[in-house]
Amino acid sequence: MKYDTLEITSYASIAVIAISLFFIGTELTGMATTNDTGDVNVTITDSAGINFTTDLLDFGSGAVTPGQTAVLESNGTGTNLSWSGAKVTGELVLENIGNNNVSIMLQTDKSAQEFIGGSSGATFEAMVSNDSEPLSCVGTNTFTTFAPINTTPQLACGSFNFSDAADELIIDFRINIPDDATGAKTIEIKAIGTY
Amino acid sequence: MQNKKRVTVLVTIALILAITAIALNSIDSEISTTRTQTQDHAGGGQIGIDIQPPQVEDKLLEEEIPQQ
């Protein structure tokens, strides 16, 4: 029995097709006799990204009135009590630069006492708002008014929006300084975004 | 001639499928159906303040200054 080249090539091709389909995962089945549904899975890559677009707030220089505790607030209408320095207005600005809504936790790298010093009475508080871009934050916010911020992460926004028109949080601060605290002080604010 | 065309088509399909099978096996393509929790940290927001010592009036020094 003699086979010609075309025939051999055809059989070889059919064999390659069958083997390839086996490896790809296609299975030969009988004719469908009923309606069936198929599932298509697709993975869309998403990412979380947050960034301090304003990452420095300097309360400046000043002295506490003897016998008093100075109270400094960074928001525009805030107080500047028992402090010889100028009233400072400013804030940190946090932006959602990812393509997901995220929850935001805030924490510091040191306690209020470690930050300010003095014998007693030092406090450090934060307030988170979305006044600049309303609807940026939906959900639970521990810092709707000034509340203590410390080294333990606390929820600052249950759902921080990522859309360009509403993806910005304003973080203001209030510091209570006892009159026996002195020196140049810094503290770091860390934001943690999770989705 | 007609048979030759058919075989050519068959060989082409076989080659495409073979390459696809090899490619899929080599990259071990699997679509993950699980979702992991993703976190991003934005550290580095800095707050600074310079607290000067209070200026205390030295009454004693004033008293020691001789009156003219």
Side-chain angles (χ1 to χ4, degrees):
Chain A
M1 197 171 177
K2 196 176 178 185
Y3 294 100
D4 63 13
T5 313
L6 284 181
E7 217 170 342
I8 292 169
T9 309
S10 299
Y11 288 136
S13 298
I14 290 167
V16 169
I17 289 171
I19 293 167
S20 300
L21 288 175
F22 174 77
F23 278 105
I24 291 171
T26 304
E27 293 177 1
L28 296 174
T29 63
M31 191 178 81
T33 55
T34 56
N35 289 332
D36 200 359
T37 56
D39 294 326
V40 176
N41 291 329
V42 62
T43 302
I44 300 170
T45 304
D46 50 8
S47 66
I50 51 176
N51 182 45
F52 277 111
T53 51
T54 301
D55 61 2
L56 179 64
L57 172 59
D58 187 359
F59 276 91
S61 182
V64 182
T65 305
Q68 303 291 315
T69 296
V71 182
L72 281 66
E73 293 177 350
S74 67
N75 54 329
T77 55
T79 57
N80 196 43
L81 296 173
S82 306
W83 180 249
S84 66
K87 159 74 178 164
V88 170
T89 300
E91 65 276 314
L92 296 185
V93 179
L94 185 66
E95 189 174 333
N96 186 345
I97 56 173
N99 60 2
N100 264 292
N101 291 351
V102 295
S103 65
I104 293 292
M105 308 278 274
L106 291 179
Q107 68 181 118
T108 58
D109 67 337
K110 57 187 80 164
S111 68
Q113 183 61 37
E114 290 167 334
F115 170 38
I116 301 298
S119 53
S120 65
T123 64
F124 184 54
E125 298 170 295
M127 179 168 65
V128 177
S129 65
N130 54 12
D131 296 343
S132 59
E133 293 185 358
L135 301 178
S136 291
C137 179
V138 178
T140 307
N141 174 8
T142 309
F143 304 100
T144 49
T145 57
F146 281 115
I149 180 171
N150 50 45
T151 54
T152 303
Q154 295 177 87
L155 189 62
C157 181
S159 181
F160 184 19
N161 205 326
F162 70 92
S163 64
D164 280 346
D167 63 350
E168 195 173 87
L169 293 179
I170 302 294
I171 310 172
D172 282 295
F173 295 92
R174 174 162 66 193
I175 310 175
N176 280 19
I177 310 169
D179 64 350
D180 59 348
T182 57
K185 315 284 187 177
T186 59
I187 191 168
E188 183 181 87
I189 309 300
K190 187 182 288 183
I192 305 164
T194 306
Y195 76 95
Chain B
M1 202 62 185
Q2 192 68 19
N3 280 344
K4 208 170 183 179
K5 275 187 181 174
R6 283 179 186 161
V7 172
T8 307
V9 171
L10 207 58
V11 168
T12 308
I13 292 170
L15 281 174
I16 291 169
L17 285 175
I19 291 166
T20 306
I22 291 166
L24 287 175
N25 273 286
S26 64
I27 61 173
D28 194 22
S29 67
E30 281 185 9
I31 296 172
S32 170
T33 55
T34 58
R35 176 174 152 170
T36 54
Q37 191 179 59
T38 304
Q39 281 195 342
D40 186 44
H41 297 254
Q46 296 283 334
I47 311 295
I49 188 167
D50 182 21
I51 307 168
Q52 302 289 330
Q55 293 180 343
V56 182
E57 290 180 42
D58 195 338
K59 298 286 187 188
L60 190 62
L61 187 67
E62 285 176 7
E63 286 172 6
E64 285 176 352
I65 296 172
Q67 300 293 318
Q68 297 292 324

